[in-house]
């Protein structure tokens, strides 16, 4: 039964995450139509691998006004900014079924001080910390840490509010700048100082209904622009899943000690969490999972691989979570691997140069098992051109991680635009150095 209930889904956002979500929602048996707003050049037409009779298109407009016009059966919100601004509360008040956290629950990502206080109260293992609000307190609070602390602006900073300081002096300068300067605006009115943790990072996503969670396979992101984790931080240059770092035993501990404990804590505090709880974890050399951060949405580019290691009706999973009655059997974790290589514009992350025509998309898409998710792209009449720092997420499926890796890089090599940047070592940590 291809279009059982003929559900219409509205996806809010414009990145690679939203393209990957839109494709997975469109492929869901219960869905007939997906509208993405504002979307990008990739979300304007049904992909060839989704069978006919379904439609994918872009729309313009703001959350509530758009929902009133489109009358979707389900709204899925991609980015953190509208979530922390309360778009889910607005949509729900008006009777729309909207997947994502309430504004109060979204504070788990919106305020790092809120998250740290919450973690301490509910016994989530996380780094020792201090919250500072006055410039005059910075020096003495920083010196209380034996090793130089990590400095974090309290609010949302699009991934730019964290300084991993190499010395106490650097930490003091960073914290003073955040509190005293205007660069971080309201987000920098409070600063969290945090013990620096060592180990390997992993991202664990859970689809939550307020009480229960469906935990997805662990993924690993590559945040620095350069091979071997060098150069400045980016939004993420590539991912793979499942991440072998997270063994079955560790995954079970993360489910119980991080995800379920957080859900119970949020419910006990009167803020039940519905939506995607994305735990950024540091696995210590002794194998202990420590919570670095919570995000209240799907990761980008984690989503690009996660959508390729599940089968079933993803739309039904999200709709059931939004209703508060999670249907965990709606999807199954597939016995597959996926790897995503981000192609970025020249000058990214500092000053991306945009407007270059993109060639070779069709050839890459001819490869079986390849999905090319658009991020910063737009259609210029005849051509697809670059329109954002991260341009495309070239993603491949494979029976093994090595297969997914080979296929993703084969596809990435077929796509060209002036000054194309990519990392050559996505997945190297799991595959061993010989792949580089
Ligand atoms: P966040 O936005 O909190 O995830 O921080 C961004 C990045 O900074 C993380 O992905 C880590 O690489 C790093 N980071 C954050 N907190 C810590 C910490 N306590 N110890 C070591 N690295 C950290
Ligand atoms: N890839 C990290 C994030 O979405 O926050």
């Amino acid at each position: 039964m291809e279009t059982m209930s003929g559900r219409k889904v509205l996806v809010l956002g414009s990145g690679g995450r939203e393209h990957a979500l839109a494709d997975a929602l469109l492929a869901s048996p219960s869905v007939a139509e997906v509208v993405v707003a504002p979307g990008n050049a990739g979300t304007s037409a049904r992909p060839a691998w989704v069978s006919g009779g379904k439609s994918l298109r872009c729309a313009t407009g703001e959350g509530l006004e758009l929902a009133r016009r489109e009358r979707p059966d389900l709204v899925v919100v991609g980015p953190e900014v509208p979530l922390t601004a309360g778009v889910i509360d607005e949509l729900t008040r008006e009777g729309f079924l909207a997947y994502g956290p309430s504004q109060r629950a979204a504070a788990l990502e919106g305020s790092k001080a809120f998250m740290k206080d919450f973690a301490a109260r509910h016994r989530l293992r996380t780094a020792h910390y201090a919250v500072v609000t006055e410039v005059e307190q910075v020096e003495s609070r920083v010196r209380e840490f034996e090793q130089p602390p990590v400095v974090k602006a309290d609010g949302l900073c699009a991934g730019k509010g964290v300084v991993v300081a190499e010395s106490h002096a650097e930490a003091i300068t960073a914290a003073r700048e955040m509190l005293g300067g205007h660069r971080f605006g309201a987000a920098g009115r409070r600063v969290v100082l945090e013990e620096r943790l060592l180990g390997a990072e992993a991202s664990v996503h859970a689809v939550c209904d307020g009480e229960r969670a469906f935990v997805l396979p662990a993924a690993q992101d590559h945040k620095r622009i350069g091979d071997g984790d060098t150069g400045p931080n980016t939004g993420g240059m590539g991912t793979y899943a499942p991440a072998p770092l997270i063994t079955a035993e560790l995954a079970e501990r993360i489910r119980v000690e991080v995800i379920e404990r957080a859900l119970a804590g949020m419910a006990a505090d009167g803020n039940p969490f519905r939506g995607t709880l994305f735990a950024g974890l540091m696995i210590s050399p002794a194998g202990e999972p420590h919570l670095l951060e919570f995000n209240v949405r799907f990761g980008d580019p984690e989503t690009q691989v996660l959508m390729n290691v599940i089968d079933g009706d993803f739309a039904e999973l999200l709709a059931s979570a939004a209703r508060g009655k999670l249907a965990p059997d709606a999807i199954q974790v597939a016995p597959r691997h996926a790897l995503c290589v981000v192609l970025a514009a020249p000058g990214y992350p500092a000053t991306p140069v945009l407007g270059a025509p993109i060639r070779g998309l069709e050839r890459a898409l001819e490869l079986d098992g390849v999905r090319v998710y658009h991020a910063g792209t737009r259609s210029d009449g005849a051509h697809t051109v670059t329109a954002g720092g991260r341009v495309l997420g070239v993603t491949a499926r494979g029976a093994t991680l090595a297969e997914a890796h080979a296929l993703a890089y084969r596809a990435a090599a077929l796509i060209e635009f002036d000054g194309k940047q990519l990392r050559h070592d996505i997945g190297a940590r799991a595959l061993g150095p010989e792949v580089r």
Side-chain angles (χ1 to χ4, degrees):
M1 290 253 293
E2 181 69 345
T3 54
M4 211 164 45
S5 63
R7 199 180 249 146
K8 177 175 180 177
V9 186
L10 173 62
V11 177
L12 301 182
S14 64
R17 163 183 51 210
E18 286 76 18
H19 189 187
L21 289 172
D23 274 9
L25 290 163
L26 195 68
S28 300
S30 68
V31 171
E33 185 178 2
V34 175
V35 180
V36 189
N40 56 41
T43 58
S44 57
R46 175 177 58 84
W49 58 270
V50 176
S51 55
K54 298 195 178 206
S55 91
L56 175 64
R57 66 182 160 87
C58 297
T60 51
E62 293 302 313
L64 188 57
E65 167 253 312
L66 190 62
R68 284 182 187 139
R69 199 170 75 222
E70 294 284 349
R71 312 298 310 170
D73 303 295
L74 173 68
V75 186
V76 177
V77 181
E80 61 275 20
V81 170
L83 291 170
T84 53
V87 71
I88 298 294
D89 309 72
E90 272 183 17
L91 290 163
T92 307
R93 229 177 282 127
E94 223 164 287
F96 291 104
L97 184 65
Y99 175 78
S102 67
Q103 184 172 28
R104 285 173 62 184
L108 276 182
E109 176 167 0
S111 164
K112 293 192 190 287
F114 174 89
M115 185 290 246
K116 296 297 288 189
D117 292 345
F118 172 83
R121 254 182 307 122
H122 294 287
R123 298 181 302 113
L124 292 159
R125 194 177 296 100
T126 179
H128 295 295
Y129 74 108
V131 179
V132 188
T133 54
E134 307 299 329
V135 178
E136 302 75 49
Q137 299 171 345
V138 165
E139 171 138 29
S140 64
R141 300 309 297 274
V142 167
R143 299 274 176 213
E144 284 166 19
F145 286 81
E146 206 171 297
Q147 300 296 323
V150 177
V151 182
K152 301 183 175 186
D154 182 54
L156 294 180
C157 291
K160 294 175 186 80
V162 176
V163 176
V164 182
E166 297 300 333
S167 67
H168 285 85
E170 188 189 342
I172 291 166
T173 305
R176 281 188 178 147
E177 235 172 61
M178 286 179 193
L179 283 171
H182 302 287
R183 198 148 64 91
F184 295 90
R189 265 184 230 137
R190 288 193 290 184
V191 164
V192 173
L193 304 175
E194 194 175 285
E195 168 200 10
R196 179 166 175 179
L197 299 173
L198 300 177
E201 287 183 56
S203 305
V204 174
H205 290 63
V207 172
C208 306
D209 73 354
E211 275 178 51
R212 290 159 299 247
F214 186 102
V215 183
L216 291 160
Q220 261 186 326
D221 193 4
H222 298 64
K223 290 202 168 138
R224 306 294 194 96
I225 187 77
D227 288 1
D229 293 329
T230 53
N233 260 324
T234 70
M237 291 298 291
T239 42
Y240 62 94
L245 168 73
I246 306 300
T247 59
E249 186 198 348
L250 203 46
E252 181 58 14
R253 281 192 60 192
I254 292 165
R255 186 174 69 76
V256 173
E257 296 172 23
V258 181
I259 303 294
E260 290 181 352
R261 204 171 281 175
L263 288 184
M266 289 298 280
D269 291 350
N271 292 326
F273 188 93
R274 282 184 191 173
T276 305
L277 189 59
F278 159 1
L281 299 159
M282 184 76 91
I283 312 302
S284 74
E288 288 292 309
H290 292 260
L291 182 64
L292 287 181
E293 64 168 345
F294 274 134
N295 296 312
V296 299
R297 45 151 182 102
F298 285 101
D300 189 346
E302 283 86 346
T303 309
Q304 287 83 321
V305 288
L306 292 178
M307 294 302 106
N308 283 287
V309 294
I310 56 172
D311 287 323
D313 199 318
F314 183 61
E316 177 53 26
L317 183 77
L318 301 192
S320 69
R323 273 190 231 106
K325 283 199 167 41
L326 190 73
D329 296 335
I331 68 164
Q332 305 81 42
V333 172
R336 276 196 298 272
H337 297 254
L339 187 138
C340 168
V341 184
V342 169
L343 306 184
Y348 178 75
T351 44
V353 180
L354 310 176
I358 303 168
R359 296 174 298 272
L361 282 168
E362 298 74 19
R363 285 181 65 204
L365 286 168
E366 277 167 14
L367 298 174
D368 197 28
V370 169
R371 308 272 188 272
V372 180
Y373 299 116
H374 291 231
T377 66
R378 70 184 164 79
S379 185
D380 177 14
H383 297 103
T384 303
V385 301
T386 60
R390 289 189 294 172
V391 178
L392 298 164
V394 183
T395 308
R397 303 175 168 200
T400 61
L401 183 59
E403 251 182 67
H405 173 270
L407 187 56
Y409 275 100
R410 227 176 105 203
L414 294 172
I415 301 174
E416 286 301 336
F417 54 86
D418 283 351
K420 172 179 100 175
Q421 293 195 76
L422 76 165
R423 275 184 65 161
H424 304 89
D425 62 347
I426 305 300
R429 228 172 292 149
L431 286 163
E434 68 274 14
V435 301
R436 289 188 48 196

